[in-house]
Amino acid sequence: LELKPERYRDQVEIPEEQIRAEYEARKQMRENTATRREVAHVLINVNDQRDENAAIERARQARQALQEGSRFAEVAREYSDDAAPAASGGNLGRVGQGALPDPLDQALAGMDVGDVSEPVVSDAGVHLLKVIEEERPEMPSLADMREQIVADLQRAQSDSLLAEDLVTLEELVYEHSDLQVPAE
């Protein structure tokens, strides 16, 4: 008695709309995870000398300086308590989603290149974020991915059919004293 996923693949047909839906889902997931942004920040520490409200106010002053025409690098050098990035204009380098703490990731999610955030509070302090550049790797076309998508969907559905038959087989083996009926 032998059950293998390969025996079920011929029984599985994948409709075109399912292929397209899977492609769109993969495309969305890739956009969410593969996008890398060059980000700069100003960090205002919260400590014994400055509480969170004072840090937020200082971040607002830095944002006001930006709105009045100061360059982000100048504001970072003047206002930021994060010395290493401040020296390089606040630049944190290229980051992907999940590379920064959640409050910063959430703030960045709604930003476009050139945008400067409102003050963002994290465990490290209060930040102003700026998206300097964005890199989105190009997604292969549906035509290029079709074969792999179909194979993946067939494999998943074949595995599901196999799992259903295994449950049935277990029941039959339990109910009968020999393997004749289950084998049939």
Side-chain angles (χ1 to χ4, degrees), residues 68-182:
E68 292 172 358
S70 295
R71 292 182 41 234
F72 196 89
E74 296 166 355
V75 171
R77 281 190 279 281
E78 181 179 341
Y79 287 88
S80 187
D81 294 325
D82 195 358
S88 65
N91 197 320
L92 295 174
R94 291 196 180 279
V95 296
Q97 185 175 3
L100 297 174
D102 283 344
L104 303 182
D105 264 349
Q106 291 171 7
L108 286 169
M111 295 175 61
D112 293 322
V113 174
D115 287 352
V116 176
S117 71
E118 293 292 329
V120 179
V121 178
S122 79
D123 290 342
V126 179
H127 307 258
L128 285 182
L129 303 168
K130 179 176 183 176
V131 178
I132 299 169
E133 188 177 287
E134 187 172 77
E135 176 184 289
R136 291 181 185 252
E138 195 168 312
M139 177 79 171
S141 70
L142 175 57
D144 291 340
M145 293 187 67
R146 177 179 296 283
E147 190 175 308
Q148 182 63 49
I149 290 172
V150 168
D152 291 346
L153 292 173
Q154 282 180 327
R155 185 177 314 105
Q157 288 184 22
S158 297
D159 289 349
S160 178
L161 291 172
L162 172 65
E164 290 173 15
D165 280 354
L166 283 173
V167 169
T168 302
L169 179 61
E170 287 174 356
E171 291 171 2
L172 290 171
V173 167
Y174 181 75
E175 294 170 358
H176 296 85
S177 60
D178 61 24
L179 294 179
Q180 185 62 40
V181 172

Side-chain angles (χ1 to χ4, degrees), residues 10-130:
D10 293 340
Q11 298 175 27
V12 176
E13 286 190 35
I14 309 297
E16 183 63 28
E17 58 271 4
Q18 188 177 5
I19 296 168
R20 290 182 188 280
E22 178 66 18
Y23 176 76
E24 290 302 320
R26 290 180 185 197
K27 185 176 179 181
Q28 184 64 41
M29 186 167 37
R30 182 179 179 122
E31 286 176 6
N32 290 343
T33 59
T35 299
R36 294 181 54 80
R37 294 174 163 185
E38 186 173 344
V39 176
H41 84 147
V42 171
L43 170 64
I44 313 297
N45 288 336
V46 174
N47 51 35
D48 294 337
Q49 290 80 35
R50 185 185 303 129
D51 68 8
E52 187 174 294
N53 289 332
I56 290 171
E57 183 54 37
R58 183 160 169 84
R60 286 188 177 130
Q61 291 169 2
R63 195 166 195 284
Q64 182 64 37
L66 290 168
Q67 291 172 338
E68 292 172 358
S70 295
R71 292 182 41 234
F72 196 89
E74 296 166 355
V75 171
R77 281 190 279 281
E78 181 179 341
Y79 287 88
S80 187
D81 294 325
D82 195 358
S88 65
N91 197 320
L92 295 174
R94 291 196 180 279
V95 296
Q97 185 175 3
L100 297 174
D102 283 344
L104 303 182
D105 264 349
Q106 291 171 7
L108 286 169
M111 295 175 61
D112 293 322
V113 174
D115 287 352
V116 176
S117 71
E118 293 292 329
V120 179
V121 178
S122 79
D123 290 342
V126 179
H127 307 258
L128 285 182
L129 303 168
K130 179 176 183 176

